[in-house]
Amino acid sequence: IPINVLDHFLEVIGKLTIIRRMIKSKADTLKRRYMKDKDVFALIEIIDEMHKENQLLQNRSEALRKIPMSHLLIPLRRMGSDFAQSHHKEVHLVFSGGDLLIDRKIAKLVAPWLGPLICNSIEHSVELSEVRRLKGKPSVGKVTVSVQIREEKVCIEVSDDGQGLNLAAIKARCLSYGLKSEGALGKMSQDEVSALIFEEGFSVKKESFHQKL
């Protein structure tokens, strides 16, 4: 179902809810005024039943807006594998939370960034197999994408078992791409330099990972 159709449907339901509450308010006034009128009590019961059905319709409509997180994660497995191969690295992608349902609007916001985050881990943190063996690590690196709901918020964490970010390499790439000047980089903290991997054009463009939701 097109998202704009669902949005319009939910908008109409919202308006119906407001109208129902206005009717309920007037009915309560009539109930106090005509306490012994059976028709008034019957009206209140009808309105209460309408409220239940209205709420059920709203809940089911909102559920239609949600998609499983796996809808975003599954295509990333192939993408991550191809990207790792292009960088001559062996990487195992691990996903958790794929069964969680998230709103399509949130999914559209998240989708463009998941691919670049995974690629940044592969390119800038996970070591080559021979380097990992020298460090006593498994030759195959691991990138984990974990999705959780915490206090009604969608939390997505991308982690890896690599060496962490190479700040010197990040600065060098920013200079070569003309993203920052040497003077600007010299004034940045470690956290600020680390955040440069999210700069447009730094590693991989997030537009490449848009998915049709």
Side-chain angles (χ1 to χ4, degrees):
I1 301 175
I3 192 68
N4 61 320
V5 174
L6 286 175
D7 284 340
H8 178 67
F9 190 44
L10 286 171
E11 183 181 350
V12 171
I13 292 175
K15 290 179 179 178
L16 287 175
T17 300
I18 293 173
I19 294 172
R20 181 198 58 76
R21 288 173 179 169
M22 293 171 63
I23 295 173
K24 178 70 162 58
S25 177
K26 294 297 182 181
D28 287 341
T29 300
L30 289 173
K31 182 179 178 181
R32 288 190 296 270
R33 187 175 300 175
Y34 305 103
M35 296 181 62
K36 297 181 179 180
D37 194 312
K38 293 181 180 180
D39 290 335
V40 171
F41 276 90
L43 176 62
I44 297 297
E45 289 179 357
I46 293 171
I47 291 174
D48 287 341
E49 189 62 30
M50 184 174 66
H51 167 68
K52 293 177 184 178
E53 296 300 322
N54 177 260
Q55 189 65 49
L56 180 62
L57 181 60
Q58 186 171 13
N59 291 341
R60 290 185 175 177
S61 300
E62 290 176 352
L64 288 174
R65 287 180 52 90
K66 296 184 178 181
I67 60 172
M69 194 64 197
S70 59
H71 187 82
L72 302 183
L73 298 179
I74 291 175
L76 295 174
R77 189 179 300 280
R78 177 60 183 272
M79 178 277 302
S81 176
D82 291 345
F83 189 81
Q85 287 182 15
S86 70
H87 286 71
H88 311 291
K89 295 181 178 182
E90 294 183 74
V91 180
H92 176 52
L93 288 174
V94 179
F95 297 132
S96 66
D99 57 333
L100 293 177
L101 297 176
I102 62 172
D103 189 277
R104 289 172 186 258
K105 285 187 176 180
I106 296 177
K108 280 195 171 184
L109 291 174
V110 169
W113 292 104
L114 277 177
L117 282 173
I118 292 171
C119 289
N120 281 326
S121 284
I122 294 172
E123 182 177 5
H124 303 295
S125 181
V126 176
E127 310 94 331
L128 293 168
S129 295
E130 53 268 28
V131 174
R132 292 178 62 84
R133 283 193 290 268
L134 288 173
K135 292 181 177 181
K137 294 182 176 181
S139 60
V140 179
K142 183 169 72 173
V143 175
T144 302
V145 181
S146 174
V147 185
Q148 300 179 37
I149 303 296
R150 299 175 186 167
E151 298 179 354
E152 298 184 354
K153 295 180 180 179
V154 179
C155 300
I156 302 176
E157 296 179 354
V158 179
S159 59
D160 60 72
D161 65 349
Q163 63 186 350
L165 296 177
N166 186 327
L167 300 184
I170 292 174
K171 289 182 179 181
R173 176 160 292 193
C174 282
L175 287 173
S176 66
Y177 285 8
L179 297 176
K180 298 290 180 181
S181 67
E182 190 169 354
L185 289 171
K187 296 177 182 179
M188 288 183 172
S189 65
Q190 290 188 355
D191 288 342
E192 288 173 330
V193 173
S194 297
L196 290 173
I197 64 172
F198 300 110
E199 288 283 329
E200 188 67 43
F202 175 80
S203 180
V204 287
K205 293 185 177 181
K206 67 185 179 70
E207 284 81 2
S208 302
F209 300 93
H210 276 293
Q211 297 181 48
K212 187 177 181 180
L213 303 175

